[in-house]
Amino acid sequence: MERHALSERAPELVEYALGELEPAEAERLARHLETCAACREALRRIEEALGWLGTVVPQHDPPPALRARVLAAAGGSDRSRWRLAWARGLLAAAFGLLLVALLFAVARADRRAEELAGRAMTAAEVLATADWSTEMRGEQPSLPSVVGQVYLEREGQRAVVALEGLPAPARGTVYQLWLIRGDGQREDGGVFVPDARGRALLVVEAAAAWTSYRGMGITREPAPGGSLQSTGTRVAGCSWDWEAWRSS
Amino acid sequence: MDDDTLAASDGELIARLRSRDRAALAALYDRYARSVYSLALSIVRDRAVAEDITQELFLQLWQYPELYDAERGRFAPWFLRAARNRAIDALRRRQRDRRLGERLHGASVDERDDPDDAAVAGEEAARVRRTLADLDGEQRQVIELAYFGGLTQREIAEHLGIPLGTVKTRVRTALRRLADALAREREPWSDTR
Ligand SMILES: [Zn+2]
């Protein structure tokens, strides 16, 4: 681990927290934060100060009707809930940095700053247009019962898979995501290694619309490239049934 | 609303959002809508826009509760930061074509130290308020321009006609003092040791 005086990084941390760093600089700092607990703690404190600073303004009550509107919108059916137009671009605007930080967790051999920034945008787009979501369930006794959430647009071909609580794969292995077609055939969804805290955020591109798939699975496979066909132990997965869903 | 919901911690309520518990959303709304709306309003200065931002934030929280990561700190400052970022974004969009000067209204910081009127009841809000009042005018000016006006440090330097390095030092000093005031133990992230 790199050791350094905190003062060296303080200006950069402040700019990161204010959202002033260029994507490539932000990515570089995110990479450093992964390994430097002192900077992580410093950033946490800067961000917390910026958050509490928001409390010093004069206080006004929002109109009472707003509460009803928010709760009504949240109470919409699962079908409409994910299609609210306001979601478009929202994540990109408000949580861009967070997404970059999360995406940083996706360890791939071909990881580059531009690709990462591009993937953050893609993830935000997918989340904004997602109209369906399901839990990714752990299938090993050592795993939590829920290891993440899948967001997808049923008529589209992209999905975001947000994972947490995954242990580091054994040396020489990676995790591999599989997309399960309606006929049971498995398609490669990519390989990944979670970050130090067991998290990964994946943007998945399917070969066809999600309506022709019935689930996903995660296995452990040999590093670095994974397998052409799933060979390892299945550790997590999810499945869905569009027919039942449509008739509900 | 039942007593369990009223007494639940923010973290417990977030966990309940994941299982699609609308009562948890209502409880979080009752705790934070006023703070979020007031912060947005003080930045965008338009009630309709501030309402939209408030609605968007709570619905986003409802849809993506996993975006809040407890390991990155407490919920209230995280949520307020999200509100600030959304409001600044709206401000920049709306004022893209206008002159920079119009963004320079600065903060509408409430000078009164009236705990009944505090945004989020609690020690932190009071400490921030006191520290802000204690900052010297120059430090306070830059942090307000950056935080409430959404100006970059470069824009502040240009506007004030002072070197960028000076702006950065003032912003950093102001933030350090706020962070130190919030810290329970004084474990400075400062460069003084
Ligand atoms: Zn560091």
Side-chain angles (χ1 to χ4, degrees):
Chain A
M1 191 189 299
E2 177 194 354
R3 306 279 294 184
H4 62 90
L6 211 41
S7 55
E8 280 173 32
R9 293 277 182 176
E12 219 181 338
L13 290 169
V14 167
E15 283 167 35
Y16 184 85
L18 289 171
E20 289 187 18
L21 285 185
E22 295 298 321
E25 296 172 309
E27 193 269 346
R28 211 178 50 231
L29 183 59
R31 185 179 299 227
H32 173 72
L33 287 165
E34 279 274 306
T35 61
C36 182
C39 281
R40 270 205 306 278
E41 173 60 11
L43 178 65
R44 191 189 65 72
R45 294 187 52 196
I46 296 167
E47 289 182 336
E48 201 152 281
L50 284 172
W52 289 116
L53 192 54
T55 62
V56 303
V57 299
Q59 297 295 296
H60 303 276
D61 283 319
L66 184 60
R67 185 182 196 271
R69 280 215 305 278
V70 167
L71 294 179
S77 72
D78 274 5
R79 295 178 202 206
S80 61
R81 199 176 64 216
W82 303 101
R83 237 187 231 300
L84 297 170
W86 57 261
R88 194 177 300 275
L90 195 64
L91 284 154
F95 291 97
L97 280 176
L98 175 60
L99 276 173
V100 168
L102 275 174
L103 281 161
F104 177 74
V106 183
R108 286 189 177 213
D110 61 351
R111 180 173 64 203
R112 284 166 299 137
E114 309 91 85
E115 184 210 292
L116 201 64
R119 205 181 309 152
M121 292 306 294
T122 311
E125 280 170 32
V126 175
L127 288 172
T129 55
D131 59 6
W132 197 80
S133 178
T134 191
E135 286 173 346
M136 184 73 84
R137 307 197 72 87
E139 298 177 351
Q140 297 271 309
S142 58
L143 291 180
S145 61
V146 175
V147 296
Q149 192 81 20
V150 177
Y151 302 95
L152 55 83
E153 186 182 12
R154 282 164 296 133
E155 302 293 340
Q157 292 172 234
R158 293 185 307 187
V160 165
V161 181
L163 299 165
E164 58 188 0
L166 286 177
R171 181 180 282 275
T173 68
V174 291
Y175 287 108
Q176 189 161 3
L177 182 75
W178 301 93
L179 317 180
I180 305 166
R181 282 185 168 277
D183 61 8
Q185 287 286 324
R186 275 146 177 76
E187 261 173 34
D188 178 16
V191 299
F192 63 95
V193 176
D195 73 357
R197 285 186 276 166
R199 305 184 308 181
L201 191 73
L202 314 175
V203 176
V204 183
E205 189 94 37
W210 289 110
T211 44
S212 55
Y213 293 82
R214 67 178 197 208
M216 295 181 186
I218 295 174
T219 58
R220 291 199 185 94
E221 303 288 343
S227 306
L228 289 175
Q229 296 190 321
S230 72
T231 55
T233 321
R234 181 162 145 142
V235 297
C238 62
S239 61
W240 51 75
D241 181 349
W242 297 132
E243 290 309 320
W245 188 82
R246 269 188 212 101
S247 58
S248 66
Chain B
M1 195 168 297
D2 59 63
D3 288 349
D4 282 355
T5 302
L6 286 173
S9 70
D10 291 347
E12 287 162 354
L13 292 174
I14 302 289
R16 285 167 56 181
L17 290 187
R18 292 184 182 216
S19 50
R20 322 313 297 157
D21 178 346
R22 283 177 71 213
L25 182 67
L28 285 164
Y29 184 93
D30 292 341
R31 266 177 216 184
Y32 294 112
R34 190 166 187 251
S35 310
V36 163
Y37 174 76
S38 300
L39 176 55
L41 185 61
S42 78
I43 291 171
V44 300
R45 311 212 156 189
D46 179 316
R47 285 177 196 191
V49 176
E51 282 180 42
D52 284 350
I53 290 170
T54 306
Q55 174 163 355
E56 285 167 4
L57 277 167
F58 280 98
L59 288 180
Q60 178 180 293
L61 185 67
W62 171 249
Q63 285 199 317
Y64 310 115
E66 43 283 284
L67 282 176
Y68 168 63
D69 175 2
E71 287 184 41
R72 276 172 65 117
R74 291 171 56 186
F75 174 75
W78 175 81
F79 201 48
L80 287 169
R81 234 174 36 248
R84 181 261 176 191
N85 291 347
R86 279 290 296 152
I88 295 294
D89 195 52
L91 188 71
R92 284 183 179 151
R93 243 191 341 264
R94 213 157 38 115
Q95 301 189 339
R96 192 171 291 147
D97 304 327
R98 300 193 204 163
R99 290 174 43 215
L100 180 66
E102 296 183 37
R103 281 216 320 260
L104 296 174
H105 57 64
S108 52
V109 173
D110 194 355
E111 305 273 348
R112 291 165 302 162
D113 196 3
D114 175 4
D116 287 345
D117 206 37
V120 183
E123 180 62 21
E124 286 85 357
R127 285 195 213 175
V128 164
R129 193 176 293 245
R130 279 198 300 272
T131 308
L132 200 61
D134 281 352
L135 290 179
D136 75 41
E138 291 173 331
Q139 290 166 0
R140 184 171 164 151
Q141 179 185 36
V142 292
I143 197 70
E144 288 179 1
L145 287 172
Y147 189 81
F148 299 99
L151 271 66
T152 64
Q153 296 179 99
R154 187 171 298 282
E155 287 172 331
I156 295 171
E158 281 167 16
H159 168 64
L160 297 177
I162 56 177
L164 179 58
T166 306
V167 172
K168 289 186 174 183
T169 304
R170 286 180 192 167
V171 167
R172 208 157 63 236
T173 306
L175 280 176
R176 179 188 308 146
R177 288 194 53 189
L178 288 166
D180 285 349
L182 286 164
R184 291 202 177 81
E185 303 88 11
R186 293 186 63 86
E187 274 289 328
W189 59 279
S190 69
D191 36 22
T192 53
R193 61 171 195 176

